[in-house]
Amino acid sequence: MKSAVETLNPTRVRLTVEVPFEELKDSLDAAYKKINQQVTVKGFRKGKIPARVIDQRFGRGAVLEEAVNDALPKFYTEAVNEAELNPLGQPEVDITELKDGETLNFTAEVDIRPTIEIPDYSGIEVEVDAVEVSDEDVEKAVTELRERFASTSPVERAAEDGDVVTLDLEAKVDGEVLEDGVAEGVSYTIGSGELLDGIDDAVKGLEAGGETTFTSELKGGSAAGKAAEVTVKVSQVAARELPELDDDFAQLASEFDTLEELKADSRKRLENMKQYDQATQAQERVLEKLLELAEVPVPEKLLEDEINTRKHNLEHHQLGQMGLDLEKYLEIQGKTAEEFDAETKEAAVKGIKTQFVLDELVNKEKLNVNQEELTEHLMRRAASSGMSPDQFAQAVVEGGQVPMLVGEVARGKALAVVVEAATVKDTNGEIVDLDDEDETESTPETTEAAEAAEESTEDKPEA
């Protein structure tokens, strides 16, 4: 077999392959054997029909077609390996010449992973938000904790903001009560915004036993997006009573003895959260700078497939679970179809470039993934998927997705290398040290930042 490679553009090549006919012998023998098992000829036992009889009865062309279909993947793979290519997706194969007893010639066009020159990233500088926790932030956190320990007691008065009301609801569309539009005994805090638009104004001022009707657009269910006539009846009004903000509350709500200790702990927790957000922000901005520096051609077919996959996942997975279609989603988002298409393309391009660049960094820096890192990543992915670690691990193995997870961790480690080399300053002009005493080469934050940028099209493994 002889092969040659023609570069069509930085991300696509054409392979020209010439195969001497004798190299088709094994595939021809397999073709005769397969046809032998599928047909019957009077006077011959099944499976014992001579090749010349098969040629006479069914045509030599049928045998050649079967043999070529069997042999093409093998010869294509050999040509790819010989040229040391990294193909992406399936090739477009065209048989240019097939002479019985002489030769098989074919071409195969395929997208390839482009050659990427990793730029000098040591000079990357980014700015991130400063870690600052105000007294107001602490007070807000303590207030939220206090509200979690609030008690309620029924009152004989009209409902007000902050009250907890017990409601019976009935929704009608075009005068018909919806099958999923009736609910009884619903507990709702006025002002929380957790139910229908307009319900706060409707129930405020009603006492227990009061009833009213209002119009609201349904957010989910069988009539999502439609205007419904909602009848709401208040069966109970209860006032929320907050505990006193003192040492007794601190002992009730935490492991601390005093309110000051509780506030100090709240401040520390807020600082940790802001540091986490700061680290994530740094990684995202460093990655953006890296992508700006690198020249990364994007294969057209790969981009097209990526865009289609993203749209499919949004429409059939995310929106489907919310009872929305794409048209309604765009209406809620205030976007046109053209704006949505442009944003989807931009995200797809960024995802592809991110994967190409970080994969090249993995190779350049010779980064490996150990079992501990893979297990830690698997645990996080399981938690985000809503599956147990054992279920997720089994699904990953059965779906052949272990290499995908290894790639995710490796790309996270590659991003960590770039972040470590970059200069990160906060809005106060202070250098931000993202290291800590227990730092490993790949942190959860860097792995997640790389994944977020890629917005991987693979769904979670299906059990």
Side-chain angles (χ1 to χ4, degrees), residues 50-82:
R52 58 179 176 77
V53 175
I54 290 178
D55 289 346
Q56 293 168 357
R57 291 292 186 94
F58 305 102
R60 173 72 168 177
V63 179
L64 288 175
E65 181 179 358
E66 181 67 37
V68 169
N69 288 339
D70 175 73
L72 275 178
K74 181 185 69 172
F75 293 128
Y76 165 73
T77 300
E78 288 180 7
V80 165
N81 292 338
E82 185 177 292

Side-chain angles (χ1 to χ4, degrees), residues 206-242:
L206 293 181
E207 298 183 15
E211 182 177 316
T212 190
T213 300
F214 67 101
T215 301
S216 181
E217 184 177 298
L218 300 179
K219 302 298 184 184
S222 60
K226 294 184 178 180
E229 184 181 82
V230 182
T231 299
V232 56
K233 181 178 181 180
V234 179
S235 59
Q236 178 180 276
V237 178
R240 298 175 74 246
E241 297 177 359
L242 297 176

